[in-house]
Amino acid sequence: MKILVTGGAGFIGSNLCDLLLDRGEEVSIIDDLSTGSLDNISHLFDNPRFSYTIDTILNQDAMDRLVADCDCVVHLAAAVGVKHVLENPLSSIETNILGTEIALKLSNKYKKKILVASTSEVYGKHMHAPLKEDDNLIYGPPSTMRWSYAASKLVDEFTALAYHRTKKLEAIIIRCFNTIGPRQTGMYGMVVPRFIQQALRDEPITVYGDGKQTRTFTYVGDVVEAIYRLIKCKEGAGEVVNIGGTEEISIADLAKKIKELVGSKSEIVFIPYDQAYGKDFEDMMRRVPSLEKLNSLIGFTPVTPLDDILRYTIEYFRSRAS
Ligand code: UDP
């Protein structure tokens, strides 16, 4: 099978390429390197089953050729990270909405199965757990730019579902919860790589707000395994599916845990949200997925314990520093 991975030089995309090639598949990718990196894929350049195109997904001619030439599209290319989206609101909305529309239009033109990556951001500010795919969504006002990320990915979900309903396109939407592991960078705000790098340098570990907000973290290896199984799954078309972990931890406890695992002398400091993100920022206080639907579709849910994921990721940053 030949799989086109948009955003294939990114954190999740490049880990997916490794898994697909290991399983004997052919892989082509398109990435504009805006947040992805050639470092993530350079070890694949000699593999005859791997090809790459450095271009934007907004280039319809390039995308047309690539979609025509594959059996399945995994559409991961998107604006990533809350910090990045807040700093680049317009280009983020454009990439997320127009880019996904192009990927869906071409998948429909050539009748190719497509997995569209969405995000747990789409749920908005819920306090209950676990979050189920058919829960209501709760957002703040448009003056709070964070919600543009959720809203743009929600438009992607509606568009994919509309293609499925009106054109019978085999589209599956995956809502990825906080995914972590090797190759994730802290440059776009993500908490785990930031805390690990701060701890390794004995610099202050910067907890935003009071640190009581919680998250669940999923190992990227588990996420790409779930994506692979969804590619092969005969069911799931027209469905929205959560992919995430279930070990809930507060950000303050995460800071302590990372400090301990690294053996760091870092001080843990608390920084008000407006200093971290500017005014009008609203955080999501809790985010735990229901994995019932994922399990019923593919018989798999993420399994790697948080301590192990953090150890692998610390090891990755240590090896890059040396
Ligand atoms: N966060 C933090 N310190 C940092 C970066 C992030 O305390 O240096 C917090 C952030 O405010 C949020 C959580 O960690 O409550 C997860 O942030 P991230 O950007 O990784 O993902 P999100 O779940 O917000 O999309």
Side-chain angles (χ1 to χ4, degrees):
M1 198 175 188
K2 184 164 187 177
I3 295 144
L4 169 64
V5 182
T6 72
F11 161 53
I12 299 180
S14 64
N15 278 285
L16 178 62
C17 292
D18 289 346
L19 179 130
L20 293 172
L21 292 165
D22 276 354
R23 305 274 163 101
E25 312 291 351
E26 244 187 285
V27 177
S28 70
I29 72 150
I30 178 165
D31 200 302
D32 66 358
L33 303 181
S34 54
T35 55
S37 153
L38 284 180
D39 275 358
N40 290 341
I41 52 167
S42 53
H43 61 291
L44 303 175
F45 289 169
D46 292 337
N47 190 322
R49 285 183 287 113
F50 178 77
S51 57
Y52 65 97
T53 302
I54 303 305
D55 206 335
T56 164
I57 52 166
L58 301 178
N59 180 342
Q60 301 212 31
D61 293 338
M63 282 289 284
D64 192 293
R65 281 193 298 277
L66 292 167
V67 175
D69 184 44
C70 76
D71 302 301
C72 175
V73 179
V74 180
H75 177 49
L76 299 175
V80 292
V82 174
K83 181 166 170 279
H84 178 77
V85 170
L86 290 175
E87 285 164 4
N88 307 278
L90 192 54
S91 63
S92 298
I93 292 170
E94 197 170 74
T95 305
N96 288 357
I97 295 184
L98 299 182
T100 302
E101 165 60 19
I102 290 169
L104 284 165
K105 189 171 69 183
L106 293 171
S107 298
N108 181 56
K109 177 176 172 188
Y110 294 108
K111 294 295 167 212
K112 304 292 167 72
K113 175 171 178 171
I114 179 168
L115 267 67
V116 176
S118 183
T119 159
S120 56
E121 278 281 318
V122 161
Y123 285 103
K125 36 186 177 174
H126 276 286
M127 279 308 287
H128 79 272
L131 295 168
K132 294 187 84 150
E133 289 85 348
D134 55 3
D135 277 346
N136 289 326
L137 312 175
I138 311 176
Y139 300 149
S143 53
T144 302
M145 265 297 160
R146 177 188 192 129
W147 305 117
S148 70
Y149 183 25
S152 67
K153 293 309 279 185
L154 184 61
V155 170
D156 290 353
E157 294 195 7
F158 277 127
T159 313
L161 292 177
Y163 267 104
H164 174 71
R165 291 216 185 145
T166 59
K167 315 271 187 191
K168 306 273 175 291
L169 177 66
E170 203 181 343
I172 302 180
I173 295 145
I174 51 175
R175 281 193 188 150
C176 296
F177 283 61
N178 298 62
T179 303
I180 58 170
R183 297 189 195 145
Q184 185 175 40
T185 136
M187 271 158 62
Y188 310 112
M190 278 77 164
V191 67
V192 167
R194 283 175 59 80
F195 282 6
I196 290 177
Q197 283 170 300
Q198 290 166 341
L200 285 171
R201 295 179 192 134
D202 291 323
E203 289 169 1
I205 299 179
T206 54
V207 175
Y208 298 157
D210 62 8
K212 290 193 180 130
Q213 69 273 34
T214 68
R215 293 293 186 271
T216 58
F217 293 96
T218 327
Y219 181 48
V220 67
D222 289 336
V223 172
V224 298
E225 176 67 40
I227 293 176
Y228 179 66
R229 289 181 188 219
L230 284 169
I231 292 171
K232 297 287 175 179
C233 183
K234 296 274 177 260
E235 286 148 41
E239 297 283 348
V240 177
V241 190
N242 288 336
I243 301 182
T246 48
E247 222 178 307
E248 188 175 11
I249 185 168
S250 75
I251 298 301
D253 285 347
L254 178 75
K256 276 189 231 152
K257 191 185 267 296
I258 288 177
K259 177 177 166 162
E260 209 176 284
L261 288 171
V262 169
S264 166
K265 296 192 201 71
S266 292
E267 182 194 355
I268 296 174
V269 296
F270 290 80
I271 297 181
Y273 282 122
D274 56 352
Q275 270 181 42
Y277 294 108
K279 70 176 180 65
D280 292 334
F281 177 80
E282 245 182 302
D283 202 359
M284 295 174 72
M285 297 311 289
R286 194 174 188 204
R287 213 189 254 171
V288 182
S290 157
L291 299 176
E292 258 174 61
K293 198 194 263 190
L294 182 68
N295 200 24
S296 75
L297 279 174
I298 60 170
F300 171 83
T301 56
V303 283
T304 314
L306 179 60
D307 279 22
D308 290 353
I309 314 174
L310 292 174
R311 279 193 199 100
Y312 303 152
T313 313
I314 290 165
E315 205 37 58
Y316 167 77
F317 279 110
R318 276 212 169 104
S319 69
R320 284 176 68 89
S322 57

